[in-house]
Amino acid sequence: MAEGGRRRDEEEDGKYLLESMAPQMEVFEPTVLLENREQRPTLDMGNFYSTGRDPIFYSHHANVDRVCNIWKSLGGKRRDFTDPDFLNAGFLFYDENAEFVRVKVRDCLDSNKMRFGYQRVDIPWLKSRPKPRKTLKKFANNKQGVANAAEIPSASSVVFPRKLDSTLRVDVTRPKKSRSKKEKGDEEEVLLIKGIELERDKFAKFDVFINDEDDPGSRPDNTEFAGSFVNVPHKHSQGKKNTILRIGINELLEDLDAEDDDSVIVTLVPRYGTDNVTIGGIEIQFAS
């Protein structure tokens, strides 16, 4: 989930996360790992400035647009941003006649207006939900369903910032529990991992789990898996950056049968390049 940013804003405070944390990162990530494994410079899909040199970039983004169209068709709050600054933002391109033209974001949001559509095919994953890794356990105040629960500190008692050089697990208090369907429709419950500090030109990834077992083993197709943070290198932009990660957890809590719990166990698992990543804090908020 991204927070709106303006041109005058700095990147800090989680601005511009839509691009850096979008589903495309799941494709960028193996590309970066492959290039690192071969000890070559991180170029093409492994670096933002050179992504357009990689042929897979275009088919990948076409599919991202397709998935976005499907997402918006599901209704509810799944719709385009309405901020005029976003809608009127412009980009310069050469058209088919080699003429310089300006295209606004508002011109690109409806594929029908651009006179193209997507092939209608079965989408088996559309109505499927992730499955819990193990039998559901009620996570009451004493967290009896979590192994070694007494050893899990509350997020408020952990000293932050904290280097993410090993697995970090904390008990995070929820602002409100047992919310009604209307309340959940009005506001998304959001896990906020703030003060993520790292080098701009280094690849890094960590995974986030909620109410997982003592030794997290969940995969993306398990309910306990909440999401990932991935930093794709900016080789022409060095130095530290400070950002945040927001993850909507309304449906995840429903699937884990944890809506009535006072708190949840949040686990951050380092995957790659996190030795120099620090975490500034973990909390839960509501976002409309």
Side-chain angles (χ1 to χ4, degrees):
M1 301 180 71
E3 178 181 342
R6 303 302 194 271
R7 183 176 181 181
R8 61 183 177 273
D9 292 333
E10 297 294 332
E11 184 177 347
E12 279 66 31
D13 300 325
K15 306 294 194 298
Y16 318 118
L17 283 177
L18 187 61
E19 174 70 10
S20 63
M21 294 307 302
Q24 62 191 41
M25 295 302 102
E26 296 305 315
V27 173
F28 277 87
E29 174 203 338
T31 306
V32 176
L33 289 176
L34 176 62
E35 299 204 9
N36 284 341
R37 207 163 40 229
E38 296 178 353
Q39 297 183 341
R40 299 184 313 204
T42 307
L43 297 173
D44 297 348
M45 282 282 280
N47 197 313
F48 269 116
Y49 90 93
S50 57
T51 54
R53 289 174 27 175
D54 197 321
I56 198 175
F57 173 86
Y58 299 97
S59 57
H60 164 62
H61 269 277
N63 192 51
V64 169
D65 292 344
R66 169 180 167 270
V67 171
C68 185
N69 266 23
I70 295 172
W71 178 79
K72 287 190 292 185
S73 73
L74 300 180
K77 289 192 172 184
R78 300 174 181 89
R79 53 182 178 268
D80 292 315
F81 295 120
T82 58
D83 190 314
D85 284 353
F86 169 75
L87 296 175
N88 294 321
F91 304 89
L92 296 173
F93 297 95
Y94 285 104
D95 66 11
E96 67 276 12
N97 299 315
E99 297 289 338
F100 220 26
V101 296
R102 180 183 297 275
V103 178
K104 293 184 178 181
V105 170
R106 66 167 64 250
D107 302 323
C108 309
L109 298 178
D110 188 342
S111 59
N112 292 321
K113 291 182 178 179
M114 293 188 285
R115 299 183 182 180
F116 74 89
Y118 298 97
Q119 181 182 4
R120 295 186 179 276
V121 297
D122 291 335
I123 309 175
W125 51 262
L126 190 59
K127 295 183 179 181
S128 64
R129 299 283 282 266
K131 302 296 184 182
R133 184 160 63 103
K134 293 188 177 182
T135 303
L136 285 177
K137 300 176 181 179
K138 293 297 289 183
F139 287 76
N141 292 339
N142 59 3
K143 294 294 183 294
Q144 292 179 347
V146 182
N148 300 323
E151 301 175 7
I152 299 176
S154 65
S156 59
S157 67
V158 174
V159 178
F160 289 105
R162 181 186 179 111
K163 183 175 289 190
L164 193 61
D165 52 3
S166 62
T167 297
L168 173 62
R169 180 180 290 107
V170 293
D171 189 346
V172 183
T173 301
R174 299 173 62 203
K176 185 178 180 180
K177 65 177 183 178
S178 306
R179 295 196 300 152
S180 67
K181 184 176 181 179
K182 182 180 186 305
E183 287 176 315
K184 289 187 287 186
D186 291 339
E187 291 185 310
E188 178 79 21
E189 190 162 352
V190 177
L191 175 64
L192 174 63
I193 302 172
K194 55 187 180 181
I196 305 172
E197 186 173 277
L198 71 162
E199 298 289 341
R200 295 174 183 272
D201 61 346
K202 303 294 183 184
F203 177 78
K205 177 187 178 182
F206 63 82
D207 290 337
V208 183
F209 300 87
I210 290 182
N211 283 2
D212 206 0
E213 296 295 329
D214 188 52
D215 181 18
S218 294
R219 310 186 320 162
D221 58 348
N222 293 126
T223 306
E224 294 86 351
F225 177 78
S228 298
F229 174 90
V230 179
N231 182 67
V232 173
H234 289 248
K235 287 297 183 182
H236 295 296
S237 179
Q238 298 180 345
K240 295 277 189 181
K241 83 171 182 179
N242 192 294
T243 187
I244 62 178
L245 173 62
R246 291 186 180 90
I247 301 176
I249 59 174
N250 274 6
E251 291 186 356
L252 185 149
L253 294 177
E254 292 176 2
D255 292 344
L256 288 178
D257 199 15
E259 295 176 282
D260 297 330
D261 292 349
D262 294 312
S263 62
V264 295
I265 302 299
V266 176
T267 305
L268 308 186
V269 180
R271 294 305 187 193
Y272 192 91
T274 61
D275 288 347
N276 294 314
V277 174
T278 59
I279 303 297
I282 304 174
E283 62 185 55
I284 291 177
Q285 299 177 343
F286 293 128
S288 58

